[in-house]
């Protein structure tokens, strides 16, 4: 029992020391600082350094906005005020391909469903704050959230490329189908 307790305690200390979301003190002071673009050059501990410092609230806000804008461009739909997105453009093109007026077979050509990448966040806690305000709270480690949104961005960039290619292919096929229809008609 004692060995188990010691093992559990030692593991909890290791877990605490490796928490990637643990705030650490950072020394950002540099001597003889001179601005360069979004950073500065100067002297730190006797070394010449370039330092770029950002406010993490702005960094996260920018990343989140990029991801939501990218998802709107790719998927559109009800989450994004019924913006069609590339998904909607592809769906419309495939509907036109099946239209008999365009020499189609009268059947809808569609196999994909719209699957958003970002999750709709829900509150982990809802309650009263400071005995007056009713609030909803969700907490997540900052590094974890940054990593999650970077992952979303990577996936969405790939999906954007896929849908752009599929839309171009569909448009070419539709054009050929219409030309074939006008030649035969």
């Amino acid at each position: 029992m004692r060995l188990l307790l010691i093992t559990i305690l030692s593991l909890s200390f290791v877990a605490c020391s490796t928490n990637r979301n643990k705030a650490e003190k950072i020394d950002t002071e540099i001597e003889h600082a001179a601005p360069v673009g979004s950073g500065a050059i100067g002297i730190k501990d006797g070394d010449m350094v370039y330092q770029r410092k950002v406010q993490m609230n702005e960094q996260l806000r920018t990343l989140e906005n990029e991801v939501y804008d990218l998802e709107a461009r790719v998927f559109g739909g009800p989450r994004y005020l019924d913006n069609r997105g590339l998904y909607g453009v592809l769906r419309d093109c495939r509907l036109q391909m099946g239209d008999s007026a365009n020499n189609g077979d009268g059947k809808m050509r569609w196999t994909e469903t719209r699957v958003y990448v970002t999750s709709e966040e829900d509150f982990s806690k809802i309650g009263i704050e400071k005995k007056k305000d009713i609030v909803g709270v969700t907490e997540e480690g900052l590094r974890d959230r940054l990593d999650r949104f970077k992952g979303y961005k990577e996936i969405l960039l790939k999906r954007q490329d896929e849908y752009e290619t599929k839309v171009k292919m569909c448009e070419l096929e539709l054009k050929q189908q219409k030309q074939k229809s006008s030649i035969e008609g």
Side-chain angles (χ1 to χ4, degrees):
M1 183 68 172
R2 180 181 284 178
L3 181 60
L4 179 62
L5 183 59
I6 290 171
T7 304
I8 291 172
L9 285 174
S10 64
L11 287 175
S12 67
F13 288 127
V14 170
C16 290
S17 66
T18 60
N19 180 356
R20 45 189 246 109
N21 291 302
K22 184 88 172 150
E24 64 179 273
K25 296 202 185 274
I26 299 174
D27 177 16
T28 61
E29 292 293 320
I30 58 176
E31 299 172 19
H32 310 291
V36 177
S38 62
I41 61 169
I43 308 294
K44 185 172 188 170
D45 299 328
D47 294 325
M48 294 180 288
V49 297
Y50 168 81
Q51 183 182 84
R52 181 175 163 259
K53 180 171 57 173
V54 297
Q55 297 295 323
M56 289 310 298
N57 60 328
E58 286 300 311
Q59 194 75 7
L60 179 60
R61 183 182 66 79
T62 299
L63 179 60
E64 286 178 347
N65 286 341
E66 287 174 354
V67 166
Y68 293 132
D69 289 346
L70 186 56
E71 189 170 56
R73 274 196 312 272
V74 173
F75 292 110
R79 246 195 211 184
Y80 297 99
L81 304 174
D82 284 332
N83 157 25
R84 287 178 27 190
L86 290 168
Y87 174 91
V89 172
L90 179 60
R91 183 189 65 218
D92 293 348
C93 181
R94 288 188 175 164
L95 286 171
Q96 290 179 29
M97 292 272 305
D99 190 346
S100 56
N102 295 322
N103 201 26
D105 57 8
K107 296 180 182 173
M108 184 174 154
R109 296 183 178 152
W110 191 251
T111 56
E112 302 173 46
T113 58
R114 183 185 339 243
V115 179
Y116 292 106
V117 175
T118 62
S119 62
E120 293 214 37
E121 297 181 29
D122 201 3
F123 300 112
S124 58
K125 296 178 184 176
I126 297 176
I128 299 175
E129 177 187 45
K130 298 182 183 177
K131 299 185 180 183
K132 64 178 182 175
D133 296 328
I134 298 174
V135 298
V137 176
T138 298
E139 290 183 6
E140 177 179 9
L142 179 58
R143 286 186 186 267
D144 295 339
R145 186 169 185 86
L146 286 166
D147 288 347
R148 184 162 57 94
F149 272 82
K150 285 176 185 174
Y152 289 159
K153 185 175 179 179
E154 186 177 314
I155 291 167
L156 286 165
L157 287 170
K158 287 178 185 174
R159 294 303 307 262
Q160 179 178 356
D161 189 46
E162 288 173 24
Y163 276 112
E164 285 173 346
T165 301
K166 288 178 181 181
V167 165
K168 291 294 180 199
M169 288 173 50
C170 183
E171 289 172 343
L172 286 172
E173 289 177 32
L174 180 60
K175 184 177 177 182
Q176 289 172 350
Q177 189 172 306
K178 286 180 177 181
Q179 286 175 346
K180 183 179 176 184
S181 163
S182 65
I183 292 171
E184 292 174 355

